[in-house]
């Protein structure tokens, strides 16, 4: 089987991109061959790109942690507050999600 190289996304837990946090989702080259699917280490991301992605991914991570760690409050949050929170997140990040909004 000839190895196939594709781009894929994976958690950066193995430091595939050295200057991103382990919680970040990293898009790196993958090789598909007889050994399976293998992500490869990539170069460091540019500082300008990192400055844009780290604050956004940090906010997303905090939102997920809050929802998972405080199940009691998340179960009791009224639907109007859920909608308001979703609207605030879309207002803050909508320009980077044009295909989905």
């Amino acid at each position: 089987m000839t190895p196939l190289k594709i781009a894929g996304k994976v958690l950066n837990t193995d430091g595939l991109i050295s200057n991103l946090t382990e919680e970040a989702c990293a898009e790196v080259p993958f090789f598909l061959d007889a050994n399976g699917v293998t992500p490869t280490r990539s170069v460091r991301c540019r500082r300008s790109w990192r400055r844009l992605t780290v604050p956004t991914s940090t906010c997303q991570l905090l939102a997920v942690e809050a929802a998972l760690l405080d199940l009691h409050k998340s179960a009791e949050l009224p639907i109007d507050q859920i909608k308001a929170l979703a609207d605030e997140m879309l207002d803050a990040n909508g320009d980077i999600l044009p295909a989905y909004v």
Side-chain angles (χ1 to χ4, degrees), residues 26-92:
E27 184 168 326
V28 297
F30 281 77
F31 285 103
L32 283 72
D33 58 21
N35 296 319
V37 180
T38 308
T40 61
R41 293 204 181 277
S42 192
V43 297
R44 293 169 52 96
C45 66
R46 294 189 323 242
R47 279 185 282 170
S48 58
W49 182 82
R50 187 175 183 279
R51 286 182 182 142
L52 291 172
T53 60
V54 170
T56 302
S57 62
T58 300
C59 289
Q60 294 164 350
L61 181 61
L62 290 171
V64 169
E65 286 178 358
L68 293 176
L69 296 176
D70 197 349
L71 298 176
H72 184 71
K73 280 189 180 175
S74 63
E76 293 182 3
L77 195 62
I79 192 69
D80 58 327
Q81 285 184 304
I82 293 172
K83 288 180 181 179
L85 287 171
D87 288 341
E88 288 177 32
M89 289 177 69
L90 287 173
D91 288 343

